[in-house]
Amino acid sequence: MKPRAEFFKEIIADLRMAASFVTILPVASSKPADDGAVARATWALPVAGLLVGLAGALVYKIASRCGLTANLAALLALATTALITGALHEDGLADTADGLGGGRTRARKLEIMRDSRIGTYGTCALILSFGLRWSALATIANPWAVTLALCAAHAGARAGVPAFMSLVPPARPDGLSASAGSPPGRSVAIAFALGTLVLALALGPGKALAGLILLSLAGLLLARLAIRQIGGQTGDILGAFEQLGEILILLVAAALLGGH
């Protein structure tokens, strides 16, 4: 058994790794990561997501206190979460839509996904993503309920990422997903447990279960599509999976918390 000090040191290192993986916050260690460090740290992705959700919720609350409407406050909250993450997941969603929607061959689809330019499919996907999330938050309206919804969405959407990385092989030998490696079973289980806990506390057991079922179905559909079209997952596919999770959980939250 590891000494307690070393155990907590590893936890902090994993939290910093996870935060640096999905945000632009300068929290990464200056020391080079060991092989497999990113994969092992994926258990902490829901924690990093929780921090992103709290930041968006804080901006929403401040905007509401300043007298802004729920529509404007929701837009500012979404802008905050996109800023903190460097729009990493939105970029992945757009590239995934362009790649899977365009190109006739696997090689061409992967080439499109690596292109920094955004196409019609990507533009439509981003409009739908921001529009659905914005509408859900504006429907919920109440600042405390919005806080619960954002925490649930950002933690829950990232809880399934380790499992997705573990079960779906990389589509190419290089890139963000391939370099991160496959998360061990322990990291997959912890991430799922943390995400489920946040969902249950924020939305209640029933709606948490509904969110998990929808997230699982979306993950299975995206995995099947990615494997058939490009042979597996990439960093962009993971970003698209996270965005689908956010959308679905916020819609479930809006159905539960809207108007309260």
Side-chain angles (χ1 to χ4, degrees):
M1 182 177 294
K2 295 180 181 179
R4 184 175 299 180
E6 183 178 349
F7 175 73
F8 283 112
K9 185 177 180 181
E10 289 185 357
I11 289 179
I12 297 300
D14 285 350
L15 290 171
R16 294 176 64 181
M17 178 72 70
S20 67
F21 190 61
V22 298
T23 74
I24 60 172
L25 300 176
V27 295
S29 174
S30 58
K31 298 180 180 179
D34 298 331
D35 290 340
V38 174
R40 290 194 304 270
T42 53
W43 70 263
L45 288 178
V47 181
L50 183 62
L51 296 177
V52 175
L54 286 172
L58 176 61
V59 170
Y60 186 95
K61 186 174 182 62
I62 293 174
S64 298
R65 286 286 184 89
C66 291
L68 297 182
T69 65
N71 285 329
L72 288 174
L75 191 58
L76 289 174
L78 288 178
T80 300
T81 60
L83 178 63
I84 291 177
T85 60
L88 174 69
H89 310 300
E90 285 82 0
D91 179 68
L93 174 66
D95 287 343
T96 295
D98 281 334
L100 299 186
R104 294 181 179 273
T105 65
R106 174 179 180 273
R108 178 55 182 155
K109 289 177 182 293
L110 288 171
E111 181 183 352
I112 291 173
M113 292 173 72
R114 273 191 160 167
D115 194 332
S116 60
R117 294 171 295 182
I118 185 172
T120 303
Y121 289 110
T123 300
C124 291
L126 287 178
I127 291 173
L128 285 172
S129 175
F130 275 104
L132 288 171
R133 289 182 291 159
W134 169 66
S135 297
L137 292 176
T139 298
I140 296 170
N142 179 274
W144 173 243
V146 166
T147 298
L148 295 176
L150 284 172
C151 289
H154 283 275
R158 290 169 176 84
V161 171
F164 198 96
M165 294 172 67
S166 178
L167 297 174
V168 183
R172 50 192 172 207
D174 58 345
L176 177 63
S177 179
S179 63
S182 179
R186 181 181 179 184
S187 295
V188 172
I190 294 175
F192 180 79
L194 289 174
T196 301
L197 177 62
V198 174
L199 281 172
L201 291 175
L203 304 181
K207 288 299 188 286
L209 179 60
L212 287 173
I213 292 173
L214 290 174
L215 186 59
S216 299
L217 291 175
L220 289 173
L221 179 62
L222 180 61
R224 185 170 185 270
L225 192 62
I227 291 173
R228 288 185 62 183
Q229 293 205 21
I230 61 175
Q233 47 93 0
T234 66
D236 288 328
I237 295 291
L238 297 178
F241 175 69
E242 190 279 339
Q243 284 285 281
L244 288 173
E246 272 191 54
I247 293 169
L248 292 172
I249 293 172
L250 285 177
L251 290 177
V252 170
L256 170 69
L257 304 172
H260 295 282

